[in-house]
Amino acid sequence: MTVTTHEPTTAGRFGEFGGRYVPESLIPACLALEAAFREAWADPAFRSELDHYRTTYAGRPTPVTAARNLSAELGITLLLKREDLTHTGSHKINNVLGQALLASRMGKTRLIAETGAGQHGVATATAAALFGLRATVFMGERDIERQQLNVFRMHMLGAEVVPVTSGSRTLKDATSEAMRHWVSAVEDAHFCLGSVAGPHPYPWMVRELQRVIGDEAREQCPDPDVVVACVGGGSNAAGTFAGYLDTRARLVGVEAAGGAAMSSGSPGVVHGSRSMVLQDSHGQIAEAESIAAGLDYPGVGPEHAHLGTSGRAEYRTVTDAEVVRAVRHLAEREGIICALESAHAVAWVLREAGTPVLPTGSTVLLTLSGRGDKDMSQLMEGLR
């Protein structure tokens, strides 16, 4: 294992990854955002106000639940960090409350967001309502079809949901459209990016806003053998890993087999940063495919690319079939119906527990990034 650098350089790089690959017209906006976030993050009043909303509105701290039945079955100690219990039902609220507060501080009146599973869109619409901002959420047409509940929730919260009909009609295309729209609206709108992807400062800023997961978990479970979380762009995993980077714990990110940028990708540029990306032989971005809309993305955040290539974290894959079985198994054993995204981490633990990969007796901290209400129609089809 080589020594890792956990803070980005002034150019926004984690090792060879990261950076700011955007149109020239967006460079001033990225620089202004970085300066505003650095100033706010160093301001005790901003941090205090954010902590207030995290506690009284989002419901933090979230508990760690001992999965007693699964632990007995698998021969390990399995502990679940319950981000599914936050307001709006996923870890996305942690990031959005911070970015919405920052947008208000910068004088912006509107939030632009992209969403795949809809959880980031719901969180953005929620924060916009809370802080009196308008919200425009870009969402792929295919994801709109499979995440109807979250589309309805966004409408209820007063957000405009813009269908994206280009490309694969999923998260990749929604992100592209949101960035294009940001170019034309940068004066009054803040692009509320939902993952640790995009141009600097987003990967670092979103990681810092999500590290509350890892910091809390470290206090609740100081010495796990393994820390595991699902990875698409990778915001919940980056936040969780941030609490354990300086420990002996193994860090394991679990990707969708059909969208495994770390396992099957190569270095490239997507949505403003250099990272591990699924590409074809001509260097064009390849389509990802996952049952979980939130993981249906051809890239991964640049910090994950750095952690993976440096050896500090490892990245594994599970199939859609394993994911569906994992949702049901967790529900039947522990009474918890998790999101399809989170079920990737559960599926890896179910498959590997008791093997040399995850030996008997291990203590495992697993982040449940969201609840499964949104996936009921898909699961009804998949489990018939």
Side-chain angles (χ1 to χ4, degrees):
M1 181 190 305
T2 57
V3 176
T4 59
T5 300
H6 306 309
E7 298 306 317
T9 65
T10 53
R13 292 188 177 278
F14 297 90
E16 65 175 292
F17 301 104
R20 190 183 287 125
Y21 297 85
V22 293
E24 193 172 339
S25 58
L26 279 181
I27 294 292
C30 290
L31 293 174
L33 178 61
E34 179 184 357
F37 181 67
R38 288 190 184 281
E39 181 185 88
W41 210 228
D43 182 352
F46 179 86
R47 300 285 285 264
S48 177
E49 187 174 9
L50 178 57
D51 284 344
H52 167 75
Y53 285 110
R54 283 172 167 170
T55 302
T56 64
Y57 191 75
R60 305 207 71 87
T62 57
V64 165
T65 298
R68 299 186 186 282
N69 298 324
L70 275 180
S71 295
E73 175 185 329
L74 300 174
I76 61 174
T77 298
L78 179 59
L79 304 170
L80 305 175
K81 179 59 173 168
R82 300 294 306 279
E83 294 303 295
D84 58 316
L85 296 182
T86 57
H87 179 51
T88 72
S90 82
H91 73 292
K92 295 294 188 183
I93 194 71
N94 305 321
N95 168 44
V96 168
L97 284 176
Q99 288 203 49
L101 266 180
L102 183 65
S104 297
R105 183 180 170 112
M106 294 175 69
K108 306 292 185 181
T109 59
R110 189 158 71 96
L111 300 180
I112 300 166
E114 83 300 339
T115 195
Q119 293 295 78
H120 176 58
V122 169
T124 301
T126 299
L130 177 66
F131 296 116
L133 304 168
R134 291 180 292 138
T136 303
V137 180
F138 291 83
M139 189 171 189
E141 199 172 50
R142 183 176 170 219
D143 290 337
I144 287 176
E145 292 168 2
R146 56 181 172 173
Q147 297 292 342
Q148 283 289 316
L149 177 61
N150 275 341
V151 175
F152 183 71
R153 293 170 76 194
M154 285 184 266
H155 285 149
M156 284 286 292
L157 291 158
E160 177 191 12
V161 180
V162 179
V164 176
T165 59
S166 58
S168 60
R169 301 174 296 133
T170 58
L171 178 58
K172 169 178 71 71
D173 309 291
T175 305
S176 298
E177 285 300 319
M179 291 193 76
R180 275 194 279 270
H181 184 70
W182 187 34
V183 172
S184 64
V186 70
E187 290 300 320
D188 68 339
H190 169 69
F191 181 23
C192 188
L193 186 55
S195 195
V196 286
H200 182 62
Y202 283 103
W204 163 66
M205 180 174 69
V206 176
R207 191 278 307 274
E208 287 300 281
L209 292 171
Q210 291 290 6
R211 71 177 302 136
V212 66
I213 305 171
D215 289 345
E216 282 181 9
R218 178 88 176 258
E219 290 185 9
Q220 296 159 321
C221 177
D223 191 28
D225 298 301
V226 181
V227 176
V228 57
C230 67
V231 172
S235 63
N236 92 91
T240 305
F241 291 175
Y244 294 96
L245 286 171
D246 62 345
T247 73
R248 66 176 188 88
R250 284 174 60 198
L251 308 178
V252 180
V254 185
E255 299 181 291
M262 285 301 299
S263 304
S264 305
S266 56
V269 174
V270 65
H271 293 143
S273 65
R274 187 171 191 271
S275 189
M276 296 297 286
V277 181
L278 295 177
Q279 303 171 78
D280 64 19
S281 59
H282 303 291
Q284 297 298 309
I285 303 301
E287 300 293 351
E289 180 64 42
S290 171
I291 191 173
L295 304 189
D296 208 345
Y297 186 69
V300 67
E303 185 175 7
H304 285 296
H306 178 54
L307 292 175
T309 55
S310 67
R312 179 60 189 95
E314 54 195 277
Y315 294 84
R316 308 300 179 197
T317 63
V318 296
T319 65
D320 286 352
E322 289 178 298
V323 168
V324 172
R325 287 197 295 272
V327 172
R328 186 163 199 166
H329 204 77
L330 180 67
E332 291 179 346
R333 296 297 190 279
E334 300 294 341
I336 298 170
I337 301 176
C338 69
L340 287 168
E341 288 77 12
S342 311
H344 284 66
V346 179
W348 180 80
V349 171
L350 293 178
R351 186 180 71 198
E352 302 296 355
T355 74
V357 176
L358 183 54
T360 299
S362 301
T363 296
V364 179
L365 186 285
L366 185 156
T367 296
L368 279 186
S369 55
R371 68 183 185 222
D373 310 34
K374 66 185 179 60
D375 300 317
M376 284 303 100
S377 60
Q378 273 185 282
L379 287 168
M380 288 169 68
E381 291 293 326
L383 293 174
R384 274 176 185 160

